Amino acid sequence: MAEVILRHIAKAYPGGPKVIKDVNIEVKDREFVVLVGPSGCGKSTLLRMIAGLEDITNGDLLIGGQRINDRAPKDRDIAMVFQNYALYPHMTVYDNMAFGLKLRNMASDEIRQRVTNAAKILEIENLLDRKPKDMSGGQRQRVAIGRAIVRNPKVFLFDEPLSNLDAKLRGQTRIELQKLHRDLQATMIYVTHDQIEAMTLGDRIVVLRNGDVLQYDTPLALYNQPANLFVAGFIGSPPMNFLPGRIVNSDKKVSFESTGGLVRIDLSTSIHRTALASYEGREVTLGVRAEHIREQSIGLSRDNYSAEMDTLIDVVEHMGSEILTYFTIEERRFVAKLHGGATVTFDQPIALFWEVNKLHFFDTQTEQAIR
C-alpha cells in the first residue's frame, strides 16, 4: 500500500472554467479518506484524475512517492469500484473477479487462490457460479469490490458505490467496508454525496464545494469545529440551525443579538467571548446544532445554558429515542433534538435553552468561523 499526495492539482476543460482548483491533499498509507460534497462539486472528477480517467491540467499526483500524472490507468496500481458495478453480464462471479488477472497472464492456481480468498472475505463463496442477473444489488456490489481486492493494488478508489442500494443495505454495507478496510490495511479513497457515509467511514474527510477544498479533517473535528459556514451546514443530520445577527457590548458584557431583535444571548461565559468581543457592532451568523437546544424539564445548569427562550412548536417528529421539534425564529426554521421522553405536541408553547459553549459563530462576510 502507499500514500497518495495531490499537490496543487487543477482541472479545466478546453474553453471552460476550472472544475478543480488548486487542491492539496495528503492521504496517508492505509488511511481511509472520503471526498464529500454536493452534486457538481468536483469529487468524482478528482477521483477519476487519481485513477487516470481524467487528465490533470496542473499540479502533481504522487502514489508511493512516484509522480504518475502521465501514467496510463493500468500502470498506476489502483483498483476502482464504480457506482453501477460494471460487471460483465455474460460471465460468472468467478470469471468477473478473475478477468483482470487473466489479462495479466497470471497463473491459474494464483488466480484461483486470490479469487477464493476475496470471496471468503466478502462471504460470497456460494455465489461464484452465478451470473450478475441472478444476484441482488448488494451481492453485485460485493462482487465489484471482490474484483478490486484480487488485484491487491496500492490504492482502492470507490465512486459512490452504495448509492444504488436501499437504506438498510447501505447501512449493512458501510459496516462491511469498515471491516474490509481494517482487514486489508489498505489505502482507500471514497467518494460520496452522503455526509452520513462520510462521517461513519472516513478516518479523514475532504469537504469540497465548486472544486475547492473547504476543510480536510477528522469527522469529529468537522462536526465540532467546522471551519466555515458551508461545512457547518453540510456536516450533521439534521443540519445546523443558523440565525443572522450582530455582536453587542454593553456594560462590558458581550452578547449576540439577532437581526430581528427577538433573540439576545449573553456570551460572557462563552469560550469564544474574547474573539467575539472584537466583532462588536459587526454582522455575524450564529450556528447551533439541534442537540444543543434543550427543553426546560431536563434540569439544566444556568451557567452552561442561555436565558430561557419561549417559542411555539410547528412540527414534531417522533424518532423513538429522540424527538425532532421544529419551530420558527424570525422567519427561519429551527429544529431541536429532544430526548424521547419529552412531552411535546404541535402548536404547543415551549421554553428552550441554548447551550452557550456549543454555539458557533461565523463572520457573515467571509463565512469563516470565529474562534
Side-chain angles (χ1 to χ4, degrees), residues 148-215:
I149 291 174
V150 298
R151 295 269 309 278
N152 192 24
K154 288 182 179 178
V155 181
F156 287 86
L157 305 179
F158 296 87
D159 191 5
E160 304 205 43
L162 309 186
S163 60
N164 289 335
L165 307 181
D166 62 47
K168 182 179 179 180
L169 199 52
R170 280 202 305 271
Q172 293 173 347
T173 310
R174 283 202 306 268
I175 295 171
E176 292 170 0
L177 282 173
Q178 290 184 58
K179 291 172 59 180
L180 181 65
H181 178 244
R182 185 177 65 244
D183 293 343
L184 296 180
Q185 290 291 291
T187 303
M188 295 184 174
I189 304 176
Y190 186 103
V191 160
T192 181
H193 65 275
D194 185 335
Q195 54 93 15
I196 294 178
E197 275 183 31
M199 293 288 288
T200 54
L201 287 173
D203 296 321
R204 287 192 292 168
I205 300 172
V206 181
V207 182
L208 288 157
R209 183 180 67 173
N210 298 329
D212 287 316
V213 174
L214 296 193
Q215 192 170 354

Side-chain angles (χ1 to χ4, degrees), residues 38-54:
S39 298
C41 70
K43 55 188 182 294
S44 290
T45 300
L46 194 58
L47 192 77
R48 291 171 63 84
M49 291 165 75
I50 297 171
L53 302 177
E54 293 276 0

Side-chain angles (χ1 to χ4, degrees), residues 19-144:
V19 293
I20 300 294
K21 310 166 187 175
D22 196 32
V23 168
N24 292 276
I25 298 171
E26 188 170 320
V27 181
K28 298 175 183 176
D29 184 24
R30 303 180 183 182
E31 190 174 26
F32 197 130
V33 166
V34 179
L35 309 180
V36 68
S39 298
C41 70
K43 55 188 182 294
S44 290
T45 300
L46 194 58
L47 192 77
R48 291 171 63 84
M49 291 165 75
I50 297 171
L53 302 177
E54 293 276 0
D55 293 333
I56 297 172
T57 305
N58 295 108
D60 297 309
L61 173 62
L62 293 84
I63 296 181
Q66 298 184 353
R67 186 178 185 275
I68 62 164
N69 290 43
D70 301 320
R71 289 192 189 178
K74 65 182 181 63
D75 298 325
R76 297 191 178 199
D77 201 6
I78 56 95
M80 191 163 180
V81 179
F82 295 91
Q83 176 181 353
N84 60 357
Y85 318 135
L87 301 178
Y88 295 106
H90 63 287
M91 292 184 181
T92 64
V93 167
Y94 181 92
D95 290 333
N96 264 285
M97 293 173 65
F99 185 70
L101 305 181
K102 291 178 180 177
L103 290 180
R104 296 182 175 187
N105 296 316
M106 188 174 288
S108 58
D109 289 345
E110 176 70 11
I111 292 174
R112 182 167 296 279
Q113 182 179 356
R114 288 198 183 194
V115 172
T116 301
N117 288 342
K120 286 181 180 178
I121 291 173
L122 296 168
E123 299 180 357
I124 55 173
E125 302 105 307
N126 61 324
L127 302 179
L128 291 177
D129 294 327
R130 293 192 192 179
K131 292 185 178 180
K133 65 182 178 65
D134 300 319
M135 297 183 295
S136 67
Q139 290 171 331
R140 293 178 196 175
Q141 193 56 273
R142 288 191 190 191
V143 175

